[in-house]
Each structure stands twice: as C-alpha cells, then as structure tokens.
C-alpha cells in the first residue's frame, strides 16, 4: 500500500455525502488535541494532506483521502475541545455514530489517544462503538515522545490489558514528531485495507443479495 500517494477526495457533511465507490476505508478518530491530523500526515509522508488547525475541533467534516483501487483513509471530526454550541456537538456525535455503525466500506478504526491522558470519556465511547459494531480497533498512543520510555511502556501495557478482552483490539506507541511507530501503523492499515475477506464482504454488501 503506497501511502505517499494519498490524495484528498472530498469532505462529507454526513453519511449520505460519503463516496459511493469506496471499497474499503479506515477511519481515524480522536479527541481534538490528540494529534490526529499530524498522525495522518506522518503516515502518508505528506505535511499538508490533513489540515492541522491551531484551533482544536475546527474540522467538522468527514474527510476522505484516496490511496488506490477504492481504498481510503478517513479523517473524522475531532471532538472534545471544539468551541462550538452544544447542539453542534450533539449533531456531530449523531453523525459520527451513524457513520461508524452504518458505513459498509468501513473495515477498521484507528483511535488516537494522547498517551498522557488515555482512556478519556470519548476514547471509551469509541471503543464501545467498535465493540458493538464488531469493528477492528487499533489505538495509537500519540505524543509518546512526551513521556520517558518506562512511563510510556507502562501506559502501553495498561491499555493492552484493557483491550485483552476484545477479539479485534490492539494498541501501539506513536509519535509524529519522532516518527515512532509509523511502520507499525502502516502495516496495520495495509492489513485491513488489503484483506481479501474484508473487500469481498464490502463488495457483496454493495451488490446486494443474490437472486
């Protein structure tokens, strides 16, 4: 999977506006200050693919980036520190839930969590949605360079224990600044996006039941 060739496709305001030709996609979700855009840029090797705003939570659209042959990375709206009315936050929570539960092309969820503040309410909510939707989940503990090696490993082990009960849950250390965990993250994405079983299931659902 050539992540360096990722290109922006479209910004969707809701599920209906998402691309119809997507065969498989992996969504990136995280609190507004978790470093989501930085992670996408680092993984794709492009500094400006995903916009990095100085105002956390500014992005309120579902952004699609094409890789190849109908595969996409999807940047979901940040959540947590956005200075927007409560009604707007509630609306986006509904849109987010609808996308995660009903998007047929979705084959995996990357959850970004600041290693210094893991397992916040939003993180647990996303984990619950992944479990309920039987969706593979991989957590990036971002900004791992902010902690000493021992402290980072302790947090990693703690989160691993919590995910032990999940059939499709995994976690790793990640740092956009120091390029920590980039290859591991790319390997997970390639595995999900290239899985024949995943692609076949999506294509079958798109075609509908056989007559």
């Amino acid at each position: 999977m050539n992540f360096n060739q990722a290109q922006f496709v479209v910004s969707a305001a809701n599920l209906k506006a998402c691309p119809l030709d997507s065969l498989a996609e992996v969504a990136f979700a995280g609190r507004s200050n978790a470093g989501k855009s930085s992670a996408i840029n680092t993984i794709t090797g492009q500094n400006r693919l995903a916009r990095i705003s100085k105002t956390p939570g500014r992005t309120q659209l579902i952004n699609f980036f094409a890789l190849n042959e109908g595969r996409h990375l999807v940047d979901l709206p940040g959540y947590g520190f956005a200075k927007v009315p409560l009604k707007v936050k509630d609306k986006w929570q509904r849109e987010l839930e609808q996308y995660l539960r009903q998007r047929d092309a979705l084959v995996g969820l990357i959850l970004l969590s600041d290693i210094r503040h893991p397992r916040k309410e939003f993180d647990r909510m996303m984990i619950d949605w992944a479990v309920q939707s039987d969706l593979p989940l991989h957590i990036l503990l971002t900004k791992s360079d902010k902690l000493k090696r021992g402290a980072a490993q302790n947090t990693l082990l703690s989160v691993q224990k919590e995910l032990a009960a999940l059939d499709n849950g995994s976690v790793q250390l990640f740092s956009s600044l120091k390029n920590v965990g980039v290859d591991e993250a790319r390997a997970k994405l390639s595995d999900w996006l290239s899985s024949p079983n995943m692609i076949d299931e999506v294509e079958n659902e798109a075609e509908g039941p056989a007559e």
Side-chain angles (χ1 to χ4, degrees):
M1 195 68 62
N2 193 340
F3 293 96
N4 291 19
Q5 293 184 350
Q7 295 182 337
F8 171 75
V9 177
V10 69
S11 293
N14 50 48
L15 183 62
K16 293 181 180 179
C18 295
L20 298 176
D21 60 349
S22 185
L23 294 177
E25 57 199 43
V26 174
F28 286 68
R31 286 170 59 84
S32 303
N33 64 338
K36 179 163 53 65
S37 296
S38 294
I40 293 175
N41 288 341
T42 301
I43 289 171
T44 59
Q46 301 184 45
N47 293 330
R48 299 182 179 180
L49 183 66
R51 294 184 179 181
I52 301 175
S53 174
K54 293 182 180 179
T55 303
R58 185 174 180 179
T59 300
Q60 297 178 16
L61 298 171
I62 304 172
N63 297 306
F64 287 79
F65 305 102
L67 295 175
N68 60 343
E69 298 180 1
R71 275 79 167 176
H72 295 86
L73 301 182
V74 183
D75 184 8
L76 298 179
Y79 186 87
F81 287 95
K83 294 182 179 180
V84 295
L86 183 59
K87 288 184 178 180
V88 175
K89 288 187 177 182
D90 289 342
K91 176 182 180 297
W92 270 108
Q93 182 166 325
R94 292 194 300 271
E95 296 292 351
L96 196 61
E97 183 172 8
Q98 187 177 37
Y99 171 83
L100 291 172
R101 294 185 183 226
Q102 300 181 26
R103 182 65 172 169
D104 291 337
L106 186 61
V107 297
L109 175 66
I110 299 290
L111 176 60
L112 296 98
S113 181
D114 188 326
I115 194 170
R116 299 167 298 178
H117 312 288
R119 293 162 294 188
K120 292 290 187 179
E121 181 181 357
F122 173 81
D123 300 327
R124 295 184 182 281
M125 178 177 68
M126 297 302 292
I127 293 173
D128 288 341
W129 280 350
V131 171
Q132 293 171 15
S133 303
D134 195 24
L135 185 66
L137 171 73
H138 186 64
I139 299 177
L140 300 186
L141 294 175
T142 60
K143 306 180 183 181
S144 63
D145 58 284
K146 301 296 183 181
L147 295 183
K148 292 183 178 180
R149 183 174 181 179
Q153 287 294 328
N154 287 338
T155 301
L156 176 64
L157 291 174
S158 177
V159 176
Q160 283 177 335
K161 287 182 179 179
E162 287 200 10
L163 294 178
L166 302 183
D167 293 332
N168 294 318
S170 53
V171 60
Q172 68 163 96
L173 299 179
F174 191 88
S175 170
S176 296
L177 183 63
K178 301 294 184 180
N179 285 322
V180 173
V182 177
D183 289 341
E184 185 178 350
R186 286 176 173 173
K188 176 63 69 173
L189 290 167
S190 295
D191 181 52
W192 283 348
L193 292 169
S194 303
S195 172
N197 292 333
M198 291 288 190
I199 302 300
D200 287 344
E201 289 177 7
V202 172
E203 289 179 336
N204 290 336
E205 289 177 355
E207 293 173 359
E211 295 182 358

